[in-house]
Amino acid sequence: HALGTEATKTWLPAGPGNIKVGDEVRVSLTAYTGDLGVLHNGRLGKVVAIRYGDVIVNSTDGKEPKLDGTHYSPHLLEKAIQA
């Protein structure tokens, strides 16, 4: 059982100033409602840029549709800590 699997991670709110390029993040499970929630909530990705307060993420979870260059508020993202 490899270290760093989803089962061993605890996700905590990231918030402004706590995210940097290269971080693995997850869109909060309650970030969006309706169709946007189905598309975005719980998706995993890597931070590729931060611009004007937006965190720009490329999805890494292998789900479709692939989300590349998607802009999120840092308030909607979570970062993993090892349990």
Side-chain angles (χ1 to χ4, degrees), residues 15-40:
N18 293 321
I19 299 173
K20 64 185 182 306
V21 171
D23 281 352
E24 178 186 14
V25 293
R26 179 175 79 174
V27 180
S28 168
L29 299 177
T30 58
Y32 299 99
T33 59
D35 289 342
L36 282 178
V38 172
L39 178 63
H40 293 278

Side-chain angles (χ1 to χ4, degrees), residues 3 5 8 10-11 14-15 17 21 23 29 32 38 41-42 47-48 56 62-65 67 76 78:
L3 289 176
T5 63
T8 63
T10 300
W11 294 91
V21 171
D23 281 352
L29 299 177
Y32 299 99
V38 172
N41 293 357
V47 176
V48 295
I56 303 166
K63 295 181 181 176
E64 292 292 333
L67 303 175
L76 300 178
E78 300 170 327

Side-chain angles (χ1 to χ4, degrees), residues 46-51 54-58 68-72:
K46 184 175 182 175
V47 176
V48 295
I50 300 171
R51 292 195 194 105
D54 279 359
V55 179
I56 303 166
V57 175
N58 287 350
D68 279 352
T70 307
H71 290 232
Y72 294 105

